[in-house]
Amino acid sequence: MSASLAASETTPKAAAHTTGPSPAVMATYARQDLVFERGEGAWLVTPEGERYLDFASGIAVNVLGHAHPSLIAALTEQAHKLWHTSNLYRVAGQERLAERLVAATFADRVFFCNSGAEACEAAIKAARRYQYVSGHPERWRIITFEGAFHGRTLATIAAGGNSRYLEGFGPPVEGFDQVPFGDIAATEAAIGPETAAIFIEPVQGEGGVNVAPKEFLRDLRALCDKHGLLLMLDEVQCGMGRTGKLFAHEWAGITPDLMAVAKGIGGGFPLGALLATEEAAKGLVAGTHGSTFGGNPLAMAVGNAVLDAVLEPGFLDQVRQRTLRLKQALAAVKDQLPDHVEEVRGEGLLTGLKLKVPVPEVVKAAIGEKLLVAGASGNVVRMLPPLNITDEEIVDATERLARALERVPVPT
Ligand code: PLP
């Protein structure tokens, strides 16, 4: 053993940690003190063998649940062949996934990255470059909405406009004008000679499961057409089958110019994508944007396997049926516990309960019932099961939720 290694092993900082979360991991998350060893469908299992029903799905990521056999097969088969070559070369899986996404959506072009924030960054850059190459370099500002969440990079926290995420990081990245969610008059009033685009989540997830009215989305499309702006959607959380359509905007019968996608598209493998019309993509030519890992063979193998499942005939119909069951069961919980639950809301299996009791206490009480749920702004708890959840698991989860709510005293 080298002298330096021996010395580091005896330093107090290495010796200090025995139980609980390791201080070696930066404390950027308010984590639950839970560790899971494996997953099976909608269930997560601790090293002690305790089973938790997972209605958080890694925050709307594990669309096919945990350890889905076809995703395991796709990943391991690819792992034996090739992991990474970079974008110096063509990547066969990218071409296949891009062509399939193009066939299934409004898009003509796809850019692959690794996360939701990166997909949103790419969308922001694409919108600015589009106006630039269209002879409007003065148009670089983007209208965003109160309650938005687009990620944690410097540009995406500025786009989201949440003061809690901006505080202490210096001047916010310029170029975002925020208006109230759902307010078409305020949106139109915010359009100026520098406006390039409008950027919206069809269903705000982190913001509290706020569903944009379909009429509002249609009005935004019309505003963009009238003023020469791009309509940019963030479907990182609400896309990929979660609402019962492949993408949430389909419910409104509109198409965007740009769309950021991530989370569910990789089923648990880090994968993000920017989808664009040919016109909206025209600014992003070689050298304008890139990513070392974006669209690497492993992510592409899994992405193609996720898409196989979601595009399987009947899959989205089943999501819609399961949505009905979940909504009915949650409405029953609300009727049973009116002092705890104010409202059940959401689209598809992106469901939220606005509560009258503190959400952090409910999340803890749910853990006591071996149920995992996710909080959101506005005192909302999210129920985001895998899209292939069973009816029995829906009943089981809502019973656990009701028991958890009953444990939390109503404030007087
Ligand atoms: N956009 C939306 C709508 C999201 O919900 C999230 C994450 O929760 C992001 C962007 C950022 O995604 P990521 O955490 O993968 O960067």
Side-chain angles (χ1 to χ4, degrees):
M1 190 187 296
S2 76
S4 62
L5 185 55
S8 75
E9 276 180 357
T10 58
T11 57
K13 71 176 185 183
H17 172 248
T18 48
T19 57
S22 168
V25 178
M26 208 176 278
T28 55
Y29 304 100
R31 297 174 199 267
Q32 304 296 338
D33 190 9
L34 275 174
V35 182
F36 297 106
E37 192 174 69
R38 63 197 163 83
E40 294 163 9
W43 298 84
L44 281 169
V45 188
T46 67
E48 295 75 35
E50 291 188 321
R51 294 168 65 81
Y52 287 73
L53 186 48
D54 185 6
F55 268 53
S57 300
I59 320 184
V61 167
N62 304 93
V63 283
L64 301 181
H66 301 279
H68 191 278
S70 69
L71 302 195
I72 295 174
L75 184 61
T76 48
E77 191 188 317
Q78 185 59 45
H80 285 284
K81 291 199 274 190
L82 185 66
W83 289 25
H84 177 78
T85 56
S86 86
N87 287 303
L88 290 173
Y89 315 103
R90 289 174 58 187
V91 177
Q94 264 185 38
E95 295 182 13
R96 178 156 182 261
L97 184 55
E99 282 172 5
R100 298 176 74 203
L101 288 169
V102 162
T105 68
F106 72 95
D108 307 305
R109 303 280 184 267
V110 184
F111 171 84
F112 291 108
C113 52
N114 313 282
S115 69
E118 280 180 69
C120 291
E121 282 268 349
I124 293 164
K125 288 179 73 177
R128 290 184 177 188
R129 279 283 301 185
Y130 166 79
Q131 296 292 1
Y132 177 82
V133 300
S134 301
H136 291 291
E138 77 287 0
R139 291 194 187 177
W140 58 284
R141 304 190 68 84
I142 295 174
I143 296 174
T144 62
F145 293 89
E146 287 170 11
F149 184 78
H150 299 298
R152 298 293 205 136
T153 62
L154 284 170
T156 55
I157 55 174
N162 184 330
S163 55
R164 275 198 302 140
Y165 302 152
L166 285 161
E167 187 184 305
F169 294 111
V173 170
E174 257 296 318
F176 299 97
D177 300 307
Q178 205 160 50
V179 297
F181 190 71
D183 187 336
I184 196 69
T187 311
E188 184 152 27
I191 297 172
E194 295 183 340
T195 307
I198 297 176
F199 192 20
I200 188 167
E201 295 154 86
V203 185
Q204 289 186 337
E206 305 299 311
V209 191
N210 305 312
V211 182
K214 290 167 190 51
E215 200 52 43
F216 181 60
L217 291 177
R218 288 194 279 267
D219 289 347
L220 290 181
R221 176 70 272 175
L223 267 190
C224 286
D225 294 343
K226 180 172 152 198
H227 294 274
L229 313 180
L230 296 184
L231 180 61
M232 307 159 61
L233 298 182
D234 179 345
E235 293 229 16
V236 167
Q237 186 155 158
C238 62
M240 217 47 204
R242 179 133 307 266
T243 67
K245 296 268 191 195
L246 185 57
F247 289 103
H249 65 265
E250 295 170 32
W251 287 109
I254 56 149
T255 57
D257 302 293
L258 295 164
M259 179 170 71
V261 183
K263 289 190 186 269
I265 191 176
F269 199 92
L271 172 56
L274 171 65
L275 276 62
T277 61
E278 183 180 357
E279 176 69 5
K282 74 181 183 187
L284 291 188
V285 295
T288 53
H289 195 53
S291 161
T292 298
F293 291 120
N296 79 75
L298 294 172
M300 294 300 99
V302 180
N304 273 301
V306 171
L307 199 60
D308 286 342
V310 175
L311 293 181
E312 184 80 16
F315 184 91
L316 293 172
D317 292 332
Q318 287 199 337
V319 173
R320 294 196 277 270
Q321 282 161 23
R322 288 169 188 137
T323 299
L324 280 180
R325 302 231 164 76
L326 180 59
K327 284 267 171 69
Q328 277 163 1
L330 291 175
V333 171
K334 178 179 177 291
D335 290 347
Q336 185 192 333
L337 295 164
D339 294 336
H340 289 74
V341 183
E342 190 174 317
E343 191 193 353
V344 178
R345 50 164 86 146
E347 185 94 82
L349 294 176
L350 174 39
T351 331
L353 282 88
K354 183 160 174 63
L355 299 182
K356 299 178 185 173
V357 290
V359 163
E361 286 180 39
V362 173
V363 172
K364 279 244 178 309
I367 288 173
E369 296 293 335
K370 306 253 182 323
L371 171 71
L372 303 173
V373 291
S377 295
N379 212 43
V380 168
V381 69
R382 273 173 295 176
M383 304 279 279
L384 309 161
L387 304 184
N388 56 1
I389 194 81
T390 65
D391 287 351
E392 295 71 36
E393 287 162 340
I394 288 175
V395 172
D396 189 348
T398 46
E399 286 172 0
R400 287 172 197 242
L401 180 71
R403 289 199 297 273
L405 286 166
E406 276 169 345
R407 284 168 172 233
V408 179
V410 177
T412 46

